[in-house]
mmCIF file of all heavy atoms in Angstrom:
data_model
loop_
_atom_site.group_PDB
_atom_site.id
_atom_site.type_symbol
_atom_site.label_atom_id
_atom_site.label_comp_id
_atom_site.label_asym_id
_atom_site.label_seq_id
_atom_site.Cartn_x
_atom_site.Cartn_y
_atom_site.Cartn_z
ATOM 1 N N SER A 1 -6.203 -3.781 -15.874
ATOM 2 C CA SER A 1 -6.305 -4.153 -14.535
ATOM 3 C C SER A 1 -5.167 -4.928 -13.950
ATOM 4 O O SER A 1 -4.778 -4.799 -12.951
ATOM 5 C CB SER A 1 -7.688 -4.998 -14.419
ATOM 6 O OG SER A 1 -7.845 -5.419 -13.126
ATOM 7 N N TYR A 2 -4.601 -5.776 -14.868
ATOM 8 C CA TYR A 2 -3.532 -6.601 -14.312
ATOM 9 C C TYR A 2 -2.243 -5.830 -14.045
ATOM 10 O O TYR A 2 -1.594 -5.899 -13.071
ATOM 11 C CB TYR A 2 -3.055 -7.706 -15.319
ATOM 12 C CG TYR A 2 -4.179 -8.695 -15.621
ATOM 13 C CD1 TYR A 2 -4.342 -9.382 -16.762
ATOM 14 C CD2 TYR A 2 -5.016 -9.070 -14.556
ATOM 15 C CE1 TYR A 2 -5.262 -10.407 -17.029
ATOM 16 C CE2 TYR A 2 -5.939 -10.091 -14.761
ATOM 17 C CZ TYR A 2 -6.062 -10.761 -15.985
ATOM 18 O OH TYR A 2 -7.031 -11.778 -16.202
ATOM 19 N N ALA A 3 -2.034 -4.881 -14.998
ATOM 20 C CA ALA A 3 -0.884 -3.952 -14.882
ATOM 21 C C ALA A 3 -1.060 -3.116 -13.566
ATOM 22 O O ALA A 3 -0.161 -3.004 -12.719
ATOM 23 C CB ALA A 3 -0.670 -3.066 -16.048
ATOM 24 N N ALA A 4 -2.259 -2.567 -13.446
ATOM 25 C CA ALA A 4 -2.608 -1.733 -12.274
ATOM 26 C C ALA A 4 -2.624 -2.558 -10.970
ATOM 27 O O ALA A 4 -2.111 -2.047 -9.962
ATOM 28 C CB ALA A 4 -3.901 -1.033 -12.506
ATOM 29 N N PHE A 5 -3.251 -3.664 -11.040
ATOM 30 C CA PHE A 5 -3.383 -4.500 -9.912
ATOM 31 C C PHE A 5 -2.022 -4.907 -9.343
ATOM 32 O O PHE A 5 -1.716 -4.879 -8.091
ATOM 33 C CB PHE A 5 -4.216 -5.823 -10.280
ATOM 34 C CG PHE A 5 -3.988 -6.862 -9.268
ATOM 35 C CD1 PHE A 5 -4.612 -6.900 -8.014
ATOM 36 C CD2 PHE A 5 -3.290 -8.144 -9.608
ATOM 37 C CE1 PHE A 5 -4.525 -7.998 -7.171
ATOM 38 C CE2 PHE A 5 -3.249 -9.081 -8.696
ATOM 39 C CZ PHE A 5 -3.802 -9.048 -7.517
ATOM 40 N N LEU A 6 -1.160 -5.462 -10.240
ATOM 41 C CA LEU A 6 0.194 -5.997 -9.757
ATOM 42 C C LEU A 6 0.949 -4.659 -9.231
ATOM 43 O O LEU A 6 1.589 -4.887 -8.059
ATOM 44 C CB LEU A 6 0.997 -6.493 -10.914
ATOM 45 C CG LEU A 6 0.629 -7.909 -11.333
ATOM 46 C CD1 LEU A 6 1.364 -8.390 -12.504
ATOM 47 C CD2 LEU A 6 0.806 -8.900 -10.165
ATOM 48 N N SER A 7 0.965 -3.630 -9.781
ATOM 49 C CA SER A 7 1.726 -2.426 -9.361
ATOM 50 C C SER A 7 1.067 -1.996 -8.047
ATOM 51 O O SER A 7 1.889 -1.649 -7.109
ATOM 52 C CB SER A 7 1.687 -1.317 -10.442
ATOM 53 O OG SER A 7 2.221 -1.757 -11.569
ATOM 54 N N GLY A 8 -0.258 -1.700 -8.043
ATOM 55 C CA GLY A 8 -0.780 -1.146 -6.833
ATOM 56 C C GLY A 8 -0.785 -2.094 -5.649
ATOM 57 O O GLY A 8 -0.517 -1.646 -4.507
ATOM 58 N N SER A 9 -0.967 -3.465 -5.833
ATOM 59 C CA SER A 9 -0.994 -4.318 -4.751
ATOM 60 C C SER A 9 0.436 -4.511 -4.239
ATOM 61 O O SER A 9 0.504 -4.684 -2.986
ATOM 62 C CB SER A 9 -1.492 -5.723 -5.220
ATOM 63 O OG SER A 9 -2.880 -5.630 -5.527
ATOM 64 N N MET A 10 1.464 -4.541 -5.078
ATOM 65 C CA MET A 10 2.770 -4.666 -4.615
ATOM 66 C C MET A 10 3.209 -3.406 -3.811
ATOM 67 O O MET A 10 3.880 -3.551 -2.772
ATOM 68 C CB MET A 10 3.755 -4.918 -5.744
ATOM 69 C CG MET A 10 3.682 -6.213 -6.411
ATOM 70 S SD MET A 10 4.107 -7.622 -5.326
ATOM 71 C CE MET A 10 3.910 -8.968 -6.351
ATOM 72 N N VAL A 11 2.822 -2.264 -4.293
ATOM 73 C CA VAL A 11 3.210 -0.940 -3.621
ATOM 74 C C VAL A 11 2.475 -0.997 -2.231
ATOM 75 O O VAL A 11 3.110 -0.616 -1.125
ATOM 76 C CB VAL A 11 2.808 0.222 -4.421
ATOM 77 C CG1 VAL A 11 2.781 1.532 -3.538
ATOM 78 C CG2 VAL A 11 3.729 0.472 -5.613
ATOM 79 N N ASN A 12 1.269 -1.354 -2.198
ATOM 80 C CA ASN A 12 0.438 -1.460 -1.067
ATOM 81 C C ASN A 12 1.119 -2.317 0.060
ATOM 82 O O ASN A 12 1.297 -1.904 1.207
ATOM 83 C CB ASN A 12 -1.021 -1.826 -1.255
ATOM 84 C CG ASN A 12 -1.855 -1.916 -0.014
ATOM 85 O OD1 ASN A 12 -2.430 -0.961 0.439
ATOM 86 N ND2 ASN A 12 -1.828 -3.120 0.549
ATOM 87 N N ALA A 13 1.441 -3.485 -0.437
ATOM 88 C CA ALA A 13 2.080 -4.538 0.443
ATOM 89 C C ALA A 13 3.438 -4.020 0.986
ATOM 90 O O ALA A 13 3.810 -4.188 2.112
ATOM 91 C CB ALA A 13 2.297 -5.864 -0.323
ATOM 92 N N MET A 14 4.248 -3.435 0.034
ATOM 93 C CA MET A 14 5.610 -2.960 0.438
ATOM 94 C C MET A 14 5.559 -1.819 1.387
ATOM 95 O O MET A 14 6.366 -1.769 2.389
ATOM 96 C CB MET A 14 6.452 -2.690 -0.843
ATOM 97 C CG MET A 14 6.853 -3.822 -1.529
ATOM 98 S SD MET A 14 7.965 -3.554 -2.928
ATOM 99 C CE MET A 14 6.867 -2.692 -4.131
ATOM 100 N N VAL A 15 4.624 -0.930 1.159
ATOM 101 C CA VAL A 15 4.603 0.231 2.079
ATOM 102 C C VAL A 15 4.114 -0.154 3.514
ATOM 103 O O VAL A 15 4.621 0.196 4.527
ATOM 104 C CB VAL A 15 3.474 1.298 1.594
ATOM 105 C CG1 VAL A 15 3.221 2.374 2.552
ATOM 106 C CG2 VAL A 15 4.017 2.013 0.205
ATOM 107 N N MET A 16 3.070 -1.099 3.405
ATOM 108 C CA MET A 16 2.600 -1.639 4.758
ATOM 109 C C MET A 16 3.746 -2.430 5.385
ATOM 110 O O MET A 16 3.930 -2.324 6.681
ATOM 111 C CB MET A 16 1.495 -2.718 4.341
ATOM 112 C CG MET A 16 0.714 -3.174 5.540
ATOM 113 S SD MET A 16 -0.416 -2.024 6.289
ATOM 114 C CE MET A 16 -1.207 -2.964 7.616
ATOM 115 N N SER A 17 4.441 -3.209 4.729
ATOM 116 C CA SER A 17 5.567 -3.980 5.212
ATOM 117 C C SER A 17 6.609 -3.030 5.881
ATOM 118 O O SER A 17 7.173 -3.178 6.991
ATOM 119 C CB SER A 17 6.182 -4.969 4.262
ATOM 120 O OG SER A 17 7.272 -5.601 4.843
ATOM 121 N N HIS A 18 7.014 -2.054 5.154
ATOM 122 C CA HIS A 18 7.977 -1.121 5.556
ATOM 123 C C HIS A 18 7.584 -0.357 6.922
ATOM 124 O O HIS A 18 8.402 -0.215 7.848
ATOM 125 C CB HIS A 18 8.218 -0.019 4.505
ATOM 126 C CG HIS A 18 9.241 1.206 4.922
ATOM 127 N ND1 HIS A 18 10.544 1.066 5.097
ATOM 128 C CD2 HIS A 18 8.904 2.281 5.320
ATOM 129 C CE1 HIS A 18 11.044 2.070 5.521
ATOM 130 N NE2 HIS A 18 10.139 3.022 5.686
ATOM 131 N N MET A 19 6.343 0.159 6.920
ATOM 132 C CA MET A 19 5.791 0.735 8.035
ATOM 133 C C MET A 19 5.686 -0.211 9.204
ATOM 134 O O MET A 19 5.869 0.188 10.342
ATOM 135 C CB MET A 19 4.556 1.403 7.795
ATOM 136 C CG MET A 19 4.524 2.611 6.737
ATOM 137 S SD MET A 19 2.979 3.436 6.320
ATOM 138 C CE MET A 19 2.704 4.246 7.926
ATOM 139 N N ARG A 20 5.331 -1.466 8.951
ATOM 140 C CA ARG A 20 5.235 -2.584 9.973
ATOM 141 C C ARG A 20 6.524 -2.738 10.716
ATOM 142 O O ARG A 20 6.652 -2.911 11.904
ATOM 143 C CB ARG A 20 4.683 -3.821 9.329
ATOM 144 C CG ARG A 20 4.593 -4.941 10.306
ATOM 145 C CD ARG A 20 3.515 -4.741 11.312
ATOM 146 N NE ARG A 20 3.155 -5.945 12.024
ATOM 147 C CZ ARG A 20 3.694 -6.562 13.083
ATOM 148 N NH1 ARG A 20 4.872 -5.972 13.416
ATOM 149 N NH2 ARG A 20 3.259 -7.587 13.627
ATOM 150 N N ARG A 21 7.611 -2.794 9.838
ATOM 151 C CA ARG A 21 8.954 -3.097 10.416
ATOM 152 C C ARG A 21 9.357 -1.808 11.289
ATOM 153 O O ARG A 21 10.036 -2.053 12.301
ATOM 154 C CB ARG A 21 10.063 -3.233 9.367
ATOM 155 C CG ARG A 21 9.834 -4.540 8.614
ATOM 156 C CD ARG A 21 11.131 -4.888 7.722
ATOM 157 N NE ARG A 21 11.377 -3.799 6.810
ATOM 158 C CZ ARG A 21 10.997 -3.903 5.547
ATOM 159 N NH1 ARG A 21 10.228 -4.870 5.103
ATOM 160 N NH2 ARG A 21 11.222 -2.882 4.674
ATOM 161 N N ARG A 22 8.929 -0.662 10.821
ATOM 162 C CA ARG A 22 9.334 0.517 11.552
ATOM 163 C C ARG A 22 8.486 0.701 12.906
ATOM 164 O O ARG A 22 9.016 1.065 13.975
ATOM 165 C CB ARG A 22 9.059 1.839 10.715
ATOM 166 C CG ARG A 22 9.553 3.097 11.338
ATOM 167 C CD ARG A 22 8.987 4.259 10.506
ATOM 168 N NE ARG A 22 7.474 4.351 10.599
ATOM 169 C CZ ARG A 22 6.822 5.191 9.857
ATOM 170 N NH1 ARG A 22 7.391 6.049 9.024
ATOM 171 N NH2 ARG A 22 5.478 5.246 10.026
ATOM 172 N N ASP A 23 7.162 0.440 12.869
ATOM 173 C CA ASP A 23 6.240 0.734 13.935
ATOM 174 C C ASP A 23 5.984 -0.525 14.747
ATOM 175 O O ASP A 23 5.391 -0.326 15.976
ATOM 176 C CB ASP A 23 5.058 1.317 13.491
ATOM 177 C CG ASP A 23 5.127 2.606 12.625
ATOM 178 O OD1 ASP A 23 6.259 3.301 12.990
ATOM 179 O OD2 ASP A 23 4.404 2.919 11.811
ATOM 180 N N GLY A 24 6.318 -1.732 14.359
ATOM 181 C CA GLY A 24 5.924 -2.899 15.098
ATOM 182 C C GLY A 24 4.435 -3.117 15.139
ATOM 183 O O GLY A 24 3.728 -2.714 14.108
ATOM 184 N N ASP A 25 3.835 -3.418 16.273
ATOM 185 C CA ASP A 25 2.306 -3.673 16.339
ATOM 186 C C ASP A 25 1.538 -2.305 16.408
ATOM 187 O O ASP A 25 0.354 -2.334 16.143
ATOM 188 C CB ASP A 25 1.998 -4.443 17.561
ATOM 189 C CG ASP A 25 2.200 -5.938 17.354
ATOM 190 O OD1 ASP A 25 2.435 -6.320 16.185
ATOM 191 O OD2 ASP A 25 2.124 -6.728 18.360
ATOM 192 N N SER A 26 2.126 -1.303 16.705
ATOM 193 C CA SER A 26 1.500 0.006 16.829
ATOM 194 C C SER A 26 1.091 0.683 15.592
ATOM 195 O O SER A 26 1.666 0.353 14.541
ATOM 196 C CB SER A 26 2.291 0.947 17.790
ATOM 197 O OG SER A 26 3.456 1.365 17.047
ATOM 198 N N ARG A 27 0.189 1.586 15.582
ATOM 199 C CA ARG A 27 -0.173 2.409 14.419
ATOM 200 C C ARG A 27 -0.681 1.603 13.207
ATOM 201 O O ARG A 27 -0.425 2.091 11.986
ATOM 202 C CB ARG A 27 0.941 3.390 14.086
ATOM 203 C CG ARG A 27 1.473 4.109 15.207
ATOM 204 C CD ARG A 27 2.605 5.157 14.748
ATOM 205 N NE ARG A 27 2.119 6.177 13.895
ATOM 206 C CZ ARG A 27 3.015 6.889 13.113
ATOM 207 N NH1 ARG A 27 4.276 6.866 13.387
ATOM 208 N NH2 ARG A 27 2.539 7.871 12.460
ATOM 209 N N PHE A 28 -1.317 0.541 13.482
ATOM 210 C CA PHE A 28 -1.898 -0.263 12.370
ATOM 211 C C PHE A 28 -2.850 0.550 11.490
ATOM 212 O O PHE A 28 -2.842 0.497 10.251
ATOM 213 C CB PHE A 28 -2.704 -1.404 12.899
ATOM 214 C CG PHE A 28 -3.399 -2.195 11.815
ATOM 215 C CD1 PHE A 28 -2.797 -2.949 10.805
ATOM 216 C CD2 PHE A 28 -4.724 -2.107 11.789
ATOM 217 C CE1 PHE A 28 -3.346 -3.674 9.876
ATOM 218 C CE2 PHE A 28 -5.524 -2.708 10.690
ATOM 219 C CZ PHE A 28 -4.876 -3.495 9.772
ATOM 220 N N SER A 29 -3.732 1.316 12.076
ATOM 221 C CA SER A 29 -4.692 2.115 11.362
ATOM 222 C C SER A 29 -4.027 3.143 10.395
ATOM 223 O O SER A 29 -4.431 3.186 9.208
ATOM 224 C CB SER A 29 -5.610 2.985 12.310
ATOM 225 O OG SER A 29 -6.306 2.136 13.178
ATOM 226 N N ILE A 30 -2.899 3.853 10.859
ATOM 227 C CA ILE A 30 -2.189 4.725 9.945
ATOM 228 C C ILE A 30 -1.599 4.024 8.825
ATOM 229 O O ILE A 30 -1.632 4.476 7.667
ATOM 230 C CB ILE A 30 -1.132 5.494 10.822
ATOM 231 C CG1 ILE A 30 -1.776 6.342 11.971
ATOM 232 C CG2 ILE A 30 -0.226 6.359 9.887
ATOM 233 C CD1 ILE A 30 -2.734 7.262 11.496
ATOM 234 N N ARG A 31 -1.015 2.848 9.007
ATOM 235 C CA ARG A 31 -0.286 2.355 7.913
ATOM 236 C C ARG A 31 -1.257 1.647 7.014
ATOM 237 O O ARG A 31 -1.055 1.548 5.794
ATOM 238 C CB ARG A 31 0.842 1.322 8.330
ATOM 239 C CG ARG A 31 0.336 0.091 9.323
ATOM 240 C CD ARG A 31 1.594 -0.817 9.583
ATOM 241 N NE ARG A 31 1.206 -1.808 10.486
ATOM 242 C CZ ARG A 31 1.427 -1.647 11.777
ATOM 243 N NH1 ARG A 31 1.919 -0.488 12.249
ATOM 244 N NH2 ARG A 31 1.104 -2.573 12.651
ATOM 245 N N ALA A 32 -2.429 1.152 7.499
ATOM 246 C CA ALA A 32 -3.352 0.697 6.592
ATOM 247 C C ALA A 32 -3.938 1.639 5.617
ATOM 248 O O ALA A 32 -4.150 1.429 4.427
ATOM 249 C CB ALA A 32 -4.443 0.077 7.420
ATOM 250 N N ILE A 33 -4.212 2.939 6.215
ATOM 251 C CA ILE A 33 -4.662 4.071 5.387
ATOM 252 C C ILE A 33 -3.622 4.502 4.387
ATOM 253 O O ILE A 33 -3.760 4.695 3.204
ATOM 254 C CB ILE A 33 -5.179 5.158 6.254
ATOM 255 C CG1 ILE A 33 -6.221 4.750 6.991
ATOM 256 C CG2 ILE A 33 -5.488 6.386 5.421
ATOM 257 C CD1 ILE A 33 -6.744 5.703 8.165
ATOM 258 N N VAL A 34 -2.352 4.731 4.952
ATOM 259 C CA VAL A 34 -1.266 5.319 4.019
ATOM 260 C C VAL A 34 -0.915 4.372 2.951
ATOM 261 O O VAL A 34 -0.788 4.724 1.802
ATOM 262 C CB VAL A 34 -0.105 5.605 4.880
ATOM 263 C CG1 VAL A 34 1.217 5.957 3.999
ATOM 264 C CG2 VAL A 34 -0.342 6.719 5.837
ATOM 265 N N SER A 35 -0.932 3.002 3.307
ATOM 266 C CA SER A 35 -0.369 2.003 2.303
ATOM 267 C C SER A 35 -1.542 1.922 1.196
ATOM 268 O O SER A 35 -1.330 1.790 -0.044
ATOM 269 C CB SER A 35 -0.220 0.659 2.893
ATOM 270 O OG SER A 35 -1.421 0.137 3.570
ATOM 271 N N SER A 36 -2.800 1.977 1.618
ATOM 272 C CA SER A 36 -3.897 1.982 0.645
ATOM 273 C C SER A 36 -3.960 3.143 -0.279
ATOM 274 O O SER A 36 -4.194 3.069 -1.442
ATOM 275 C CB SER A 36 -5.223 1.807 1.373
ATOM 276 O OG SER A 36 -5.312 0.553 1.986
ATOM 277 N N LEU A 37 -3.623 4.353 0.274
ATOM 278 C CA LEU A 37 -3.661 5.566 -0.544
ATOM 279 C C LEU A 37 -2.552 5.444 -1.616
ATOM 280 O O LEU A 37 -2.794 5.813 -2.752
ATOM 281 C CB LEU A 37 -3.374 6.676 0.379
ATOM 282 C CG LEU A 37 -3.369 8.124 -0.307
ATOM 283 C CD1 LEU A 37 -4.758 8.354 -0.899
ATOM 284 C CD2 LEU A 37 -3.047 9.192 0.742
ATOM 285 N N PHE A 38 -1.328 4.862 -1.229
ATOM 286 C CA PHE A 38 -0.306 4.721 -2.200
ATOM 287 C C PHE A 38 -0.781 3.681 -3.232
ATOM 288 O O PHE A 38 -0.560 3.860 -4.427
ATOM 289 C CB PHE A 38 0.902 4.273 -1.491
ATOM 290 C CG PHE A 38 1.848 5.479 -1.010
ATOM 291 C CD1 PHE A 38 1.719 5.856 0.226
ATOM 292 C CD2 PHE A 38 2.744 6.106 -1.962
ATOM 293 C CE1 PHE A 38 2.471 6.949 0.794
ATOM 294 C CE2 PHE A 38 3.484 7.276 -1.419
ATOM 295 C CZ PHE A 38 3.384 7.567 -0.161
ATOM 296 N N GLY A 39 -1.220 2.584 -2.766
ATOM 297 C CA GLY A 39 -1.619 1.453 -3.686
ATOM 298 C C GLY A 39 -2.684 1.791 -4.597
ATOM 299 O O GLY A 39 -2.614 1.559 -5.776
ATOM 300 N N GLU A 40 -3.825 2.353 -4.082
ATOM 301 C CA GLU A 40 -4.982 2.777 -4.863
ATOM 302 C C GLU A 40 -4.523 3.964 -5.804
ATOM 303 O O GLU A 40 -5.053 3.922 -7.011
ATOM 304 C CB GLU A 40 -6.000 3.357 -3.916
ATOM 305 C CG GLU A 40 -6.634 2.343 -2.935
ATOM 306 C CD GLU A 40 -7.417 1.261 -3.676
ATOM 307 O OE1 GLU A 40 -7.579 1.267 -4.848
ATOM 308 O OE2 GLU A 40 -8.066 0.512 -2.919
ATOM 309 N N GLY A 41 -3.694 4.842 -5.402
ATOM 310 C CA GLY A 41 -3.269 5.838 -6.323
ATOM 311 C C GLY A 41 -2.510 5.323 -7.526
ATOM 312 O O GLY A 41 -2.791 5.696 -8.684
ATOM 313 N N ILE A 42 -1.441 4.432 -7.275
ATOM 314 C CA ILE A 42 -0.708 3.875 -8.265
ATOM 315 C C ILE A 42 -1.611 3.076 -9.288
ATOM 316 O O ILE A 42 -1.588 3.056 -10.511
ATOM 317 C CB ILE A 42 0.395 2.907 -7.787
ATOM 318 C CG1 ILE A 42 1.412 3.739 -7.133
ATOM 319 C CG2 ILE A 42 0.941 2.095 -8.874
ATOM 320 C CD1 ILE A 42 2.200 4.688 -7.973
ATOM 321 N N ASP A 43 -2.608 2.206 -8.668
ATOM 322 C CA ASP A 43 -3.586 1.456 -9.394
ATOM 323 C C ASP A 43 -4.354 2.320 -10.446
ATOM 324 O O ASP A 43 -4.480 2.054 -11.532
ATOM 325 C CB ASP A 43 -4.496 0.720 -8.489
ATOM 326 C CG ASP A 43 -5.525 -0.157 -9.161
ATOM 327 O OD1 ASP A 43 -6.441 0.233 -9.682
ATOM 328 O OD2 ASP A 43 -5.263 -1.448 -9.019
ATOM 329 N N SER A 44 -4.890 3.483 -9.848
ATOM 330 C CA SER A 44 -5.754 4.293 -10.687
ATOM 331 C C SER A 44 -4.965 4.915 -11.758
ATOM 332 O O SER A 44 -5.504 5.018 -12.958
ATOM 333 C CB SER A 44 -6.444 5.252 -9.765
ATOM 334 O OG SER A 44 -7.299 4.612 -8.867
ATOM 335 N N VAL A 45 -3.837 5.507 -11.404
ATOM 336 C CA VAL A 45 -3.023 6.165 -12.435
ATOM 337 C C VAL A 45 -2.610 5.262 -13.637
ATOM 338 O O VAL A 45 -2.499 5.742 -14.731
ATOM 339 C CB VAL A 45 -1.636 6.691 -11.736
ATOM 340 C CG1 VAL A 45 -0.694 7.125 -12.825
ATOM 341 C CG2 VAL A 45 -2.026 7.901 -10.844
ATOM 342 N N ILE A 46 -2.408 3.936 -13.357
ATOM 343 C CA ILE A 46 -2.064 2.947 -14.400
ATOM 344 C C ILE A 46 -3.296 2.521 -15.152
ATOM 345 O O ILE A 46 -3.427 2.390 -16.425
ATOM 346 C CB ILE A 46 -1.345 1.840 -13.849
ATOM 347 C CG1 ILE A 46 0.127 2.297 -13.335
ATOM 348 C CG2 ILE A 46 -1.146 0.702 -14.897
ATOM 349 C CD1 ILE A 46 0.818 1.194 -12.602
ATOM 350 N N PHE A 47 -4.424 2.205 -14.341
ATOM 351 C CA PHE A 47 -5.558 1.577 -14.958
ATOM 352 C C PHE A 47 -6.406 2.448 -15.920
ATOM 353 O O PHE A 47 -6.564 2.064 -16.999
ATOM 354 C CB PHE A 47 -6.480 0.969 -13.772
ATOM 355 C CG PHE A 47 -7.804 0.403 -14.336
ATOM 356 C CD1 PHE A 47 -7.845 -0.768 -14.878
ATOM 357 C CD2 PHE A 47 -8.949 1.197 -14.270
ATOM 358 C CE1 PHE A 47 -9.010 -1.372 -15.420
ATOM 359 C CE2 PHE A 47 -10.190 0.657 -14.822
ATOM 360 C CZ PHE A 47 -10.183 -0.557 -15.403
ATOM 361 N N PHE A 48 -6.762 3.619 -15.563
ATOM 362 C CA PHE A 48 -7.682 4.343 -16.298
ATOM 363 C C PHE A 48 -7.192 4.841 -17.642
ATOM 364 O O PHE A 48 -7.923 4.765 -18.616
ATOM 365 C CB PHE A 48 -8.247 5.469 -15.417
ATOM 366 C CG PHE A 48 -9.175 5.079 -14.438
ATOM 367 C CD1 PHE A 48 -8.814 4.992 -13.036
ATOM 368 C CD2 PHE A 48 -10.427 4.579 -14.717
ATOM 369 C CE1 PHE A 48 -9.674 4.603 -11.989
ATOM 370 C CE2 PHE A 48 -11.333 4.115 -13.683
ATOM 371 C CZ PHE A 48 -10.888 4.136 -12.421
#
């Protein structure tokens, strides 16, 4: 869980941050979904 959590959470945060810098205040819903998909994917691939 720790290995997956650190990797997934960091990826989620970095993707969210990158998209936030690009889009500003707009398209929050899209970046929330996309960042979670990346983060959850990395988390699951490492954890299970």
Side-chain angles (χ1 to χ4, degrees):
S1 180
Y2 293 152
F5 161 74
L6 282 176
S7 302
S9 294
M10 289 296 183
V11 167
N12 179 84
M14 288 187 289
V15 171
M16 187 77 177
S17 178
H18 173 76
M19 296 181 71
R20 176 71 166 78
R21 289 196 301 269
R22 185 192 67 188
D23 300 333
D25 278 347
S26 64
R27 305 181 68 188
F28 170 75
S29 299
I30 297 299
R31 61 176 171 269
I33 295 169
V34 171
S35 63
S36 292
L37 185 60
F38 273 95
E40 298 286 7
I42 293 297
D43 184 285
S44 296
V45 166
I46 294 175
F47 175 76
F48 290 107

